[in-house]
């Protein structure tokens, strides 16, 4: 996407534009050019903008380089005509695909949802989540004491307060929803305004005045990646110093087959209405297959009994210190199983662990069915057709997750046995079936 923004004043390595006489053009690759309003054909290509930092209310400072030879490096300072022009410029230079890969209405609904205090309360009252985040930060206080911290998607500002309690010199709490106003109120009411600065805006569009020593965030969704906030979290590394910390540091997604005929039959029964051949004179059966796709296409979010799990889970590591945003666009987890006893596989369960690797301790927040329950619970993905396995029969397949424009993922599970039996399912991660009435106490299982 090409953008052009008005510049009140810019200085490029000693050359100064006449006041009000220039524009910045930014192409889809983040390459910046200067256009003169006096001569629209006069374009000076500066190169890709890096190290963009804020100077004053409407100003930025950044460096550019012509990538072909990397020799022509410029230092640029600019003052923009308005806050909107500044925001558009920063977003264009960010290299993020945030706006192009998301539906605008979905983004608006997402931020509206998290602007409710009730949703913040739901997360804050998850005692496992909150206590482990606090432990990770306070037990690793040397990573925060007298340091500069960035809180990505700060919400109510809870993690920013924890960073301040650990001795942070400055915390930038970035929150795009209207919850930013509530966070600012809490900061003022708790006399933390000298440490915590709430910045209302999308991470991809804001500018900080300095690099940070640590990034904290709670960017985790159902099945780890739902809501697609992890892309913004790794994008935030552009503000992180080379030796900086990220809390969480990495996550591991687990996938494991399960056998649960009760869940399968419960789901199948939800489709039985559409098998009615005579409903007030109407044959409904032509819609039964579509009903099967809809019901079996919902991920079951619940606290599962681990006794339903069959075999050992396979794991997929997400290293936030090294991953690029594009690595989240399509995720593949291959698997292969062989059992000594006959098995009936009804689907695949998933959960995730998160490691906070500090200089003193590594703290792990687990959503495993063997751990205390969190508000993420676990997820089960049902196959439309169960897979019957004979002893020593091999089952291979893949779980594939692809981003969609509604800030979620389309999930496909494909299975094939060495005898040629196949089964698959397509899951809409955005439309979960919350089965909270089936709570299981993991402490009852040895």
């Amino acid at each position: 996407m090409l953008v052009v923004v008005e510049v009140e004043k810019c200085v490029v390595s000693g050359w100064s534009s006449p006041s009000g006489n220039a524009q910045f053009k930014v192409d889809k690759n983040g390459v910046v050019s200067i256009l003169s309003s006096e001569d629209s054909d006069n374009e000076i290509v500066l190169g890709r903008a890096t190290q963009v930092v804020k100077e004053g209310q409407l100003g930025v400072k950044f460096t550019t380089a012509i990538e072909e030879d990397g020799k022509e490096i410029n230092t640029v300072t600019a003052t923009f005509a308005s806050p909107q022009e500044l925001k558009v410029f920063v977003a264009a230079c960010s290299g993020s695909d945030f706006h192009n890969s998301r539906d605008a209405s979905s983004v608006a609904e997402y931020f509206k949802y998290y602007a409710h205090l009730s949703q913040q309360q739901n997360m804050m009252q998850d005692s496992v989540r909150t206590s482990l985040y606090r432990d990770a930060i306070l037990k690793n206080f040397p990573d925060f004491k007298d340091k500069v911290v960035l809180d990505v998607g700060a919400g109510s500002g809870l993690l920013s307060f924890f960073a301040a309690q650990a001795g942070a010199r400055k915390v930038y709490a970035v929150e795009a929803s209207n919850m930013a106003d509530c966070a600012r109120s809490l900061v003022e009411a708790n006399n933390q305004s000298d440490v915590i600065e709430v910045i209302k805006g999308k991470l991809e569009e804001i500018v900080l005045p300095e690099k940070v020593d640590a990034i904290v965030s709670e960017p985790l969704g159902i099945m780890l990646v739902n809501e697609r906030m992890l892309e913004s979290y790794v994008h935030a590394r552009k503000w992180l110093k080379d030796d900086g910390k990220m809390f969480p540091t990495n996550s591991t997604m687990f996938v494991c087959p399960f056998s649960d005929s009760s869940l399968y039959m419960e789901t199948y029964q939800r489709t039985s209405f559409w098998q009615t051949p005579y409903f007030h004179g109407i044959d409904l059966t032509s819609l039964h297959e579509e009903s099967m796709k809809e019901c079996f296409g919902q991920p079951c979010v619940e606290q599962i009994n681990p006794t339903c799990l069959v075999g050992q889970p396979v794991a997929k590591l997400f290293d936030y210190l090294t991953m690029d945003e594009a690595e989240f666009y399509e995720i593949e987890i291959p698997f292969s199983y062989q059992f000594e006893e006959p098995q009936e596989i009804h689907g695949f369960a998933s959960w995730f662990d998160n490691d906070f690797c500090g200089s003193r301790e590594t703290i792990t927040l687990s959503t495993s069915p063997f751990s205390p329950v969190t508000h993420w619970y676990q997820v089960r993905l049902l196959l439309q057709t169960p897979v019957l396995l004979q002893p020593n029969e091999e089952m291979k397949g893949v779980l594939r997750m692809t981003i969609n424009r509604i800030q979620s993922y389309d999930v496909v599970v494909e299975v094939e046995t060495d005898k040629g039996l196949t089964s698959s399912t397509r899951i809409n991660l955005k439309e979960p079936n919350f089965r909270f009435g089936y709570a299981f106490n993991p402490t009852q299982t040895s």
Side-chain angles (χ1 to χ4, degrees), residues 37 52-53 75 116 172 174 180 192 195-196 255 263 289 306 312 315 327 343 358 360 386-387:
S37 58
V52 183
V53 295
T75 300
H116 289 93
Y172 297 105
V174 178
Q192 291 292 323
V195 176
I196 302 173
V255 175
L263 175 63
E289 183 177 348
Q312 295 298 311
E327 293 181 65
Q343 298 290 349
R360 285 199 164 191
V387 176

Side-chain angles (χ1 to χ4, degrees), residues 222-223 258 260 263-264 266-267 270 295-304 348-350 376-382 427-429 431-436 438:
I222 293 173
M223 209 171 169
F258 73 86
D260 189 339
L263 175 63
Y264 182 86
E266 172 196 315
T267 305
R270 289 165 53 201
C295 291
F296 281 87
Q298 288 186 282
C300 297
V301 179
E302 58 189 321
Q303 188 177 8
I304 69 174
F348 292 81
S350 182
W376 293 287
Y377 296 89
Q378 296 91 40
V379 175
R380 288 198 285 182
L381 313 176
L382 278 162
I427 303 291
N428 180 0
L429 203 57
E431 296 292 337
N433 173 21
F434 292 106
R435 301 180 74 250
F436 296 157
Y438 301 83

Side-chain angles (χ1 to χ4, degrees), residues 279-337:
F279 181 76
H280 298 281
I282 305 167
D283 183 354
L284 304 180
T285 57
S286 64
L287 293 180
H288 181 248
E289 183 177 348
E290 189 64 28
S291 175
M292 288 281 290
K293 292 178 182 178
E294 181 178 309
C295 291
F296 281 87
Q298 288 186 282
C300 297
V301 179
E302 58 189 321
Q303 188 177 8
I304 69 174
N305 187 332
T307 59
C308 76
L309 301 177
V310 181
Q312 295 298 311
V314 295
K316 172 77 172 180
L317 178 67
F318 296 80
D319 184 347
Y320 303 131
L321 284 169
T322 61
M323 290 185 70
D324 294 326
E325 289 176 69
E327 293 181 65
F328 289 101
Y329 296 170
E330 185 164 308
I331 300 165
E332 286 195 357
I333 305 177
F335 53 82
S336 177
Y337 288 94

Side-chain angles (χ1 to χ4, degrees), residues 260-276:
D260 189 339
S261 58
S262 295
L263 175 63
Y264 182 86
M265 290 307 301
E266 172 196 315
T267 305
Y268 188 86
Q269 285 298 319
R270 289 165 53 201
T271 74
S272 61
F273 172 75
W274 299 101
Q275 292 179 301
T276 306

